[in-house]
Structure formats: structure tokens, C-alpha cells
């Protein structure tokens, strides 16, 4: 419907409506809002999806060096079980000796700095945070060594030459107090636990002397080195683990250690959707003739 004005012109009422510009939020008010939203998104991503971790020790050399920063997928094990050969971050049990001397923050500024640093992966890990390679899963039989000094998983020897560059000596007897010996007796991994070793076996304190790790303690899978830029590379599963035989029938029937949580995806998406809705309400993101921020 077109309405005729006194001056003889005709104006479409829908066009007049679009010409009315909504009052925009001043930049000095909108910028803090966007910064808060961006910070909330970073916290959500760090809590539920991805997190950067600082490597504090040489137990995974030369796969990971001291000072490297890795990206850890924190949601992958809510959808499937860990696999042999993956590099995982986990919280050690009471049997695990700390790799670093964690000093608690002393003041507000120190606490704030560590919190922000933790979000971007520059803070030091906690005293019970570890990163190792998964060697055996629940029900697997693992031991060392065969006549060539190799680790055996379900009777299959592992060719670890691609990632173990400094192995422990064969002539040292096993010592439950320290992991200096390459040899250890065969054990069957209990349900819900994994057997992990460091790639630098000469210095790594791992499951050889500190025992398996509950899967519930696993934070996530480290899948890439992102810093320094000269060391960017992914952390794939070595081919040797694809040749490992399945565990014996007597133990293979155990219940899976990790099961997908049907509501997990909903729980994860709700806080992210809520944060995105705040962004959608920002006036700079809406309106036909207004500027849009590129992702």
C-alpha cells in the first residue's frame, strides 16, 4: 500500500521503516562488552574443547622438547576410548612423583597472571600434570623385553625407533622406586586404566615404576605442537601400534573403560550458544546498513 503525501510524492511505508536507523551503542561501551564476550569464549573453549599445555621436562624428548607448547583436545575421549600410541595429558595418581615443583601464587596479581597465562598456554603445569604416550589399554598384557630389547604388547613387539631415541639400559635390574631400567615384568592392565611411557625412557618416570593411570584422570589428547613456530608438527599414532594384536579373549570381554555421554554434546553446546547469543544482541552485528565484524 502506498500513501500519497501533500507534496504529491509517494513513499513506501516499508522503505520509510528501513530508513530509520537504530541508535548504535557507542564504541566506548561496546568495546568492553566484546572483550568480555571474547574472554568468556576463550574460557569456554579452554574448559570444554582445547587447551594449550607447556612442556616442563624432557621425559618426551625428542617428540616434545622443554618449552614446547602443545594443543590438547579435551572432548575427544567423551566420544571414544583412548588408543595405543596417542600422546595424552593426565593427572597423576598419588603414586606418581611430581615432575615440577609447583609454587602456589602468592598474591592477586600473581593469581591473575597465572590464570591468563593458563588460558594461552604460557603458565607452568601443576605438579600432578603429566604428558606421556599410551602403550597399552585395559585388558592388554605389556612387558619388556624380548630378545631384541623391545616392549611387548599382547605378545607383539613394538618398533619404537621412530620416537624413542634414548632408551633405558638393559643391564639394570628393575627398581620399583625409579624407572631407570628398561625391563619390567608382564602386567595385565586393569579395566578403566592405561599404561603410559615417556619417549625419553632414560629419564621418564612413568608406568614402569609408578603404575597405570585411570582413564578418568586423562585430560585429553595432545595432537599438535604449536610453539615455537619452528617446531610446528602434528602428533600422529606411530604405525607400529597398528600391528598390535587384540588382548586375550579372557580379558577382552571387559566393559569399555569410557562410554560416550549422550547428553555431553548438549551440555557442551549450551554455554557456547549462550555466549554467542550475547554477540548476536550487539547492535553492531545487526541491522541492514550496519558494519559487520568478520570472523
Amino acid at each position: 500500500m502506498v500513501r500519497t503525501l501533500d507534496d504529491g510524492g509517494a513513499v513506501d511505508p516499508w522503505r520509510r521503516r528501513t530508513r530509520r536507523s537504530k541508535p548504535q551503542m557507542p564504541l566506548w561501551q561496546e568495546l568492553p562488552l566484546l572483550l568480555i564476550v571474547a574472554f568468556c569464549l576463550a574460557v569456554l573453549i579452554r574448559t570444554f574443547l582445547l587447551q594449550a599445555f607447556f612442556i616442563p621436562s624432557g621425559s618426551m624428548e625428542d617428540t616434545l622438547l622443554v618449552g614446547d607448547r602443545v594443543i590438547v583436545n579435551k572432548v575427544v575421549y567423551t566420544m571414544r576410548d583412548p588408543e595405543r600410541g596417542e600422546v595424552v595429558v593426565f593427572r597423576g595418581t598419588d603414586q606418581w612423583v611430581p615432575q615440577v615443583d609447583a609454587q602456589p601464587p602468592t598474591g592477586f596479581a600473581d593469581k591473575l597472571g597465572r590464570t591468563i597465562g593458563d588460558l594461552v598456554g604460557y603458565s607452568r603445569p601443576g605438579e600432578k600434570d603429566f604428558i606421556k604416550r599410551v602403550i597399552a589399554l585395559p585388558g592388554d598384557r605389556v612387558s619388556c623385553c624380548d630378545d631384541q630389547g623391545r616392549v611387548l604388547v599382547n605378545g607383539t613387539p613394538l618398533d619404537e625407533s621412530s620416537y624413542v631415541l634414548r632408551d633405558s639400559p638393559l643391564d639394570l635390574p628393575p627398581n620399583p622406586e625409579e624407572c631407570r631400567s628398561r625391563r619390567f615384568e608382564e602386567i595385565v592392565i586393569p579395566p578403566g586404566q592405561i599404561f603410559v611411557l615417556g619417549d625419553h625412557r632414560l629419564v621418564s618416570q612413568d608406568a614402569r615404576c609408578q603404575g597405570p593411570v585411570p582413564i578418568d584422570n586423562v585430560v585429553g589428547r595432545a595432537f599438535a605442537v604449536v610453539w615455537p613456530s619452528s617446531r610446528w608438527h602434528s602428533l600422529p599414532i606411530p604405525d607400529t601400534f597398528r600391528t598390535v594384536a587384540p588382548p586375550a579373549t579372557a580379558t577382552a570381554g571387559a566393559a569399555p573403560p569410557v562410554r560416550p555421554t549422550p547428553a555431553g554434546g548438549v551440555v557442551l553446546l549450551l554455554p557456547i550458544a549462550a555466549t554467542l547469543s550475547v554477540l548476536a544482541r550487539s547492535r553492531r552485528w545487526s541491522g541492514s546498513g550496519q558494519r559487520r565484524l568478520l570472523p
Side-chain angles (χ1 to χ4, degrees), residues 39-75:
F39 181 79
C40 291
L41 280 175
V43 172
L44 289 172
I45 291 173
R46 183 257 187 205
T47 303
F48 295 103
L49 297 178
L50 303 173
Q51 184 176 355
F53 278 84
F54 173 84
I55 305 302
S57 72
S59 66
M60 284 294 292
E61 292 178 348
D62 287 346
T63 304
L64 302 174
L65 303 181
V66 176
D68 282 354
R69 288 167 178 84
V70 298
I71 292 294
V72 174
N73 185 332
K74 303 181 72 172
V75 74

Side-chain angles (χ1 to χ4, degrees), residues 1 23 110 217 263:
M1 176 179 180
D110 191 11
N217 286 21

Side-chain angles (χ1 to χ4, degrees), residues 12 30 66 73 75 99 122 167 174 202 240 246 251 268 285-286:
D12 187 341
E30 187 172 6
V66 176
N73 185 332
V75 74
Q99 293 186 123
Y122 275 81
D167 211 337
L202 192 60
T240 186
T251 57
L268 174 63
W285 289 69
S286 60

